Amino acid sequence: MTAGATSAEIDRGRDILRASRGVVVLTGAGLSADSGLATFRGPGGQWRKHRPEELATPEAFRRDPRLVWEWYEARRRAAAEAAPNDAHRAIAEFALRRDDVTIVTQNVDGLHALAARCVATGPRRAPGNISRALPLELHGTFYRVRCTSCGRRREHRDLIDASSKETLPRCDDCGALLRPDVVWFGEPLGEAIERAFGCASQAEVCLVVGTSAVVQPAASVAMVTRRAGGAIIEVNPEETPLSPMCAVSLRDTAATAVPMLLAGCGGSSTAAC
Ligand code: NAD
Ligand code: ZN
């Protein structure tokens, strides 16, 4: 990891954001690292303990649904105990104060929505409809389940008992096993990605926070903005495949760099909840 973003780089990113119309904020697991949630890749990433093809695939679920649910349940509980960090809050305030921001996330932890709620209703209440700060969730969410047989989806926030196959949650309608409503490797992304590409093609800036930019097609969202003539600003302590295409790369953690970057551009460094 490098020493951190310089104030000249932050200023340059701010100038670009101030002069632009239409911003897509594309976020990944690194954004929630500062809330204590493990990433998949990068230092301390989860894939060092669990290989993706062992757990985050339809085949893995067919082979051993209990093991897959056990892994998800541990991550769901960690997410349920986590709080949005300063970067989630600054992004929410940025989206509420401006009317041209779309948040697109690969995260499934629900922290963008929590930040939106606390910034929209907290003591320093930001103006704007809360829906502006709710993200397009490209990879689904921990807090919804889907039937493996009839496909019915529903919200599910309760604890899941993954101690045996018999205790796993089942569909009220058809009795088949329920699975997390997240996108697994090899599965299609649904209509959220089309909406994200549409916004990205109209945006003058794509601000990319905490993603390794290797999971497709999510990583292409930034390239759509770039190809349409817009700029990419990246916040990541590590270099990524997008770095050579960026107008500004802030080599810093999200919770440090994002509030500084967005202060004065609509967001705030001290958005309180
Ligand atoms: P990733 O794990 O592939 O990469 C994480 C990136 O974040 C790395 O580039 C790393 O350098 C960077 N990073 C680490 N700490 C950071 C910090 N403090 N501030 C800013 N950046 C930091 O994540 P990804 O690109 O989002 O991978 C995609 C997949 O990971 C998605 O399918 C997503 O659903 C899944 N995922 C989500 C969560 C979550 O919802 N919190 C957690 C783990 C994985
Ligand atoms: Zn069913």
Side-chain angles (χ1 to χ4, degrees), residues 147 150 171 173-174:
C147 176
C150 71
C171 179
D173 291 345
C174 74

Side-chain angles (χ1 to χ4, degrees), residues 57-131:
T57 69
E59 295 73 32
F61 192 78
R62 274 195 293 275
R63 202 167 49 233
D64 193 345
R66 194 209 63 76
L67 175 67
V68 173
W69 260 123
E70 183 179 59
W71 183 60
Y72 271 94
E73 186 57 8
R75 296 174 58 215
R76 287 174 81 239
R77 288 186 194 190
E81 283 165 17
N85 62 54
D86 287 349
H88 289 105
R89 287 195 288 272
I91 292 168
E93 185 164 4
F94 180 61
L96 284 167
R97 288 193 186 280
R98 289 176 59 144
D99 62 359
D100 61 343
V101 177
T102 306
I103 303 170
V104 176
T105 192
Q106 299 167 84
N107 293 347
V108 291
D109 55 32
L111 292 182
H112 274 298
L114 269 185
R117 233 165 276 135
C118 70
V119 172
T121 58
R124 275 175 21 92
R125 200 169 172 278
N129 188 313
I130 187 174
S131 62

